[in-house]
Amino acid sequence: VRARDHYAEDAAVRIERPVTQRALARYAENHPIDGMPNNCFRLVAPLAVAMLLPKASIAQRPASFTLEQVRSYPFPNELTAGSSGNRIAWTFNERGQRNLWVAEGPEWTARKLTSYLQDDGQELTSISITPDGKHVVYVRGGDHGSNWQGPSPNPLSSPVAPKIQLWSIPFDCRTPARCEPKLLSEGDDPEMSPRGNQVAFLKDRQIWTVPADGSSPAKRLFSAIGELESPRWSPDGSRLAFVSSRGDHAFIGVFTSDSTPILWLAPTTSRDGSPRWSPDGARIAFIRQPGSGGPPDSILVRTRRRWAIWTADSRTGQARLIWDAPDKSFPSTHGGTNLHWAANGRIVFLSNAAGQAQLYSVPEGGGTPLLLAPGNFMAEHITLSPDGRFLVFAANAGSDPGDIDRRHIVKVPVDRAAPQVLTPGSGLEWTPFVTGDGKSIAFIGATATRPPLPAIIGVDGGKAAWIAEDRIPRDFPATLVTPTQVVLPSSDGLRIHAQLFNATGSTSRKPAIIYIHGGPPRQMLLGWNYSDYYSNAYALNQYLASRGFVVLVVNYRLGIGYGRDFQQARQAGSQGAAEYRDIRAAGEWLASQPFVDAKRIGVYGGSYGGFLTAMALARNSELFAAGVDIHGVHDWTTERARGILNRDRYEEAPDLALALRTAWTSSPVSYMKTWKSPVLLIHGDDDRNVRFSQTVDLSRRLAASGVPFEELIIPDDTHHFMRHSNWLRVDAAVADFLERKLGPRR
């Protein structure tokens, strides 16, 4: 009895979960009861289970799984391949323990290199393998998905602040406990030299170098004014190109030696970036955009973002225009323009010119660009093969209508339009890399029911060999929902894609939830997502479906995957919030379904999804009965005013007053009089993407308006909730709030 009651009364344990002898035993190991040894708890566990079931509502629910189980998957990220041989490396985040893993062909057996054992929220990023394959270099610390810089996050609230540091570890390490990583320096953004084992990296806005094996201390390579970034070694490793950002303009420089002045490539008032060496090292391609300044533009009218591709002589700095991009062509997907200097005299780039983010190549001397992979799909996660003759990338391409909401690996030559989908089917695949020997392609992939794992296929395709399958816990749920594709019309007729999670087994009307992604240039998929943030959302949606909810995930306008005009929608965001039409249309669609209880429709989302959640509750409380707003933007005028009122000139935009009024009416806080539905506010107060003040301000307005609200504040964590335990707290709070307010009944 004491065992049962202690378990049921613990606030950290939801008694609605399936209660098993194993669950009680696991609980006892970490929560000893005064006067009761753990082994005694294990002996009485069967009786405790039997006594607990009649007291709780679990007996009336079908078998399910816990939130901890569906969030127990290891998330792989930062995959890379060596420039020679057949070696790959990646990271696994296993319940907050982030570690470096490697594999080598032909066996491709996964091997753990590091042994970080704490859920401390410290990222592992920028992984690279030295050209000789002997060392793996990586960065530990930081929040690389943030919108503005700050010190390394400290979500553990440690008295000793973490640092962003560069580390190295031998690839051939067989026993992680005996192979201690070697600290190379504080720093970030490493770039491996093709010659020797030198690593260039950024520290204190300058470029430093250090041997990858740590055989000598790091040193600053040279001194230059401006904020230095984007270091790129020449093919022979003798020179280094870099960007010097100087506020309203930026130069590209080439460093040769201490005795040779830095060469600036055709310096102008423009903003130059993305330097890429030609295979012979004689020239450098780069992107040129206008510098800041000129008369203020209209705020509410979308202006052209001009950009062009130039090449410069790496010895003289003389440059020439190769391609002037047309209007609306600048891509905002992964990697931006994805500039590459390939083989066969071709320069490859990404452009929205044809209405989708697609790959083109242009002769290195200039000319008409060739569309390499035509079709109604977008390209992202693009890499060039070691020999420079072909590209591999992820795309929502394929013969199945559902493929527009998936990702598959595509291969295409750099000089002709001959794309080949290498991984067709109902799975999802992303982040491809060609191994250094040119024989294999490594990637990460998943399905609707199996979480992401690394994999290998032949360079021409074939059956994938999955790596590290044994890292998926044995109690990971075996019965997940396969979401179905839904296409629904918005109020203005725009077709909106969504994914529906609806577990079988009930004939009664269910409560429903709309999930709204952030970004907004994101896309939710028909399976596990390539982003850890949205992989978490996918797991939570699976859990909510298992608890009796219908979940509809909406890919509203402004998102990627459906074309340039969809992504660059007019009158959206602070210019009119047109994308909210899509959320309301999704709610009305749910209300019309025979399997949904129209009076119990909720909404939740994070970041931009938090903004749209707040809009839904503020504008249409009669439709949305409750919601969870996770670090959302609530007042666009504060964001707009930060940029347009704090000006350093006499002139102001011609439509400044109208733009501010429009930003106000596009904000949830302007609809407080109609906000009636309860809301849970969640925010980490070290957020570097959405200011914590947005939630502080909204909480005061809700209190003044008498709107019921609850709060979950995570001290010292960021927008991405770096600790696994914090993600579990957030997910549990979301599920608990929605269950209490919408009350799924079977």
Side-chain angles (χ1 to χ4, degrees), residues 195-511:
R195 183 176 68 178
N197 65 348
Q198 286 294 310
V199 183
F201 64 97
L202 303 181
K203 178 182 177 182
D204 301 329
R205 301 184 177 184
Q206 297 289 299
I207 295 176
W208 294 55
T209 59
V210 65
D213 59 4
S215 56
S216 61
K219 64 178 182 179
R220 189 165 67 179
L221 187 60
F222 58 89
S223 177
I225 68 171
E227 184 171 349
L228 306 191
E229 56 192 37
S230 303
R232 285 275 177 161
W233 293 101
S234 61
D236 64 358
S238 64
R239 292 175 291 166
L240 188 81
F242 64 95
V243 175
S244 172
S245 182
R246 304 187 177 193
D248 55 6
H249 66 286
F251 299 148
I252 291 177
V254 177
F255 169 78
T256 301
S257 68
D258 292 343
S259 59
T260 305
I262 292 171
L263 175 69
W264 302 108
L265 304 184
T268 67
T269 58
S270 300
R271 186 179 301 279
D272 296 341
S274 303
R276 302 291 187 265
W277 291 87
S278 63
D280 61 3
R283 287 165 292 173
I284 295 174
F286 61 94
I287 300 296
R288 173 161 285 178
Q289 299 181 75
S292 305
D297 289 328
S298 170
I299 299 170
L300 294 174
V301 176
R302 187 183 298 274
T303 58
R304 176 185 176 186
R305 183 174 180 180
R306 298 190 63 90
W307 65 288
I309 300 175
W310 287 66
T311 62
D313 188 295
S314 66
R315 297 292 183 182
T316 67
Q318 293 181 342
R320 58 175 295 188
L321 174 68
I322 297 299
W323 185 67
D324 191 12
D327 192 16
K328 297 183 180 180
S329 68
F330 193 90
S332 58
T333 53
H334 178 266
T337 53
N338 283 272
L339 189 66
H340 300 272
W341 200 314
N344 300 331
R346 309 295 294 190
I347 295 175
V348 182
F349 60 95
L350 197 68
S351 171
N352 270 329
Q356 281 275 20
Q358 294 174 315
L359 280 166
Y360 295 78
S361 75
V362 64
E364 59 188 25
T368 302
L370 169 66
L371 177 58
L372 294 176
N376 185 30
F377 58 85
M378 58 167 284
E380 60 181 359
H381 302 127
I382 301 156
T383 58
L384 186 66
S385 63
D387 61 8
R389 296 184 179 277
F390 63 91
L391 299 147
V392 289
F393 59 96
N396 53 339
S399 58
D400 187 281
D403 286 333
I404 193 171
D405 295 319
R406 297 189 181 100
R407 292 291 184 272
H408 296 307
I409 305 303
V410 182
K411 173 185 175 183
V412 66
V414 300
D415 54 0
R416 64 185 187 277
Q420 178 187 2
V421 178
L422 299 181
T423 58
S426 60
L428 304 96
E429 303 85 29
W430 57 85
T431 57
F433 281 86
V434 182
T435 55
D437 60 7
K439 296 180 180 179
S440 305
I441 298 174
F443 63 90
I444 296 173
T447 69
T449 57
R450 198 218 64 216
L453 287 172
I456 287 286
I457 57 172
V459 74
D460 293 318
K463 185 178 179 180
W466 297 98
I467 301 173
E469 289 181 284
D470 61 336
R471 301 310 301 176
I472 299 177
R474 291 184 178 180
D475 61 350
F476 181 82
T479 55
L480 297 179
V481 173
T482 297
T484 57
Q485 185 186 64
V486 172
V487 182
L488 56 92
S490 191
S491 60
D492 58 358
L494 187 66
R495 288 164 56 86
I496 303 300
H497 282 239
Q499 294 99 41
L500 182 70
F501 296 71
N502 187 12
T504 59
S506 173
T507 58
S508 61
R509 290 179 179 266
K510 297 181 180 181

Side-chain angles (χ1 to χ4, degrees), residues 651-671:
E651 299 168 290
E652 62 182 33
D655 57 354
L656 173 61
L658 177 59
L660 286 174
R661 284 198 302 272
T662 303
W664 173 250
T665 58
S666 303
S667 302
V669 293
S670 69
Y671 300 94

Side-chain angles (χ1 to χ4, degrees), residues 105-127:
E107 295 84 6
W108 302 110
T109 301
R111 192 158 43 81
K112 185 178 176 182
L113 278 192
T114 58
S115 53
Y116 298 113
L117 302 179
Q118 270 194 308
D119 175 19
D120 57 8
Q122 299 305 302
E123 287 186 327
L124 300 184
T125 57
S126 299
I127 298 172

Side-chain angles (χ1 to χ4, degrees), residues 6-25:
H6 196 276
Y7 183 91
E9 291 171 3
D10 191 332
V13 178
R14 304 295 307 167
I15 64 171
E16 294 90 73
R17 296 174 187 159
V19 181
T20 64
Q21 179 177 350
R22 180 180 178 184
L24 283 171

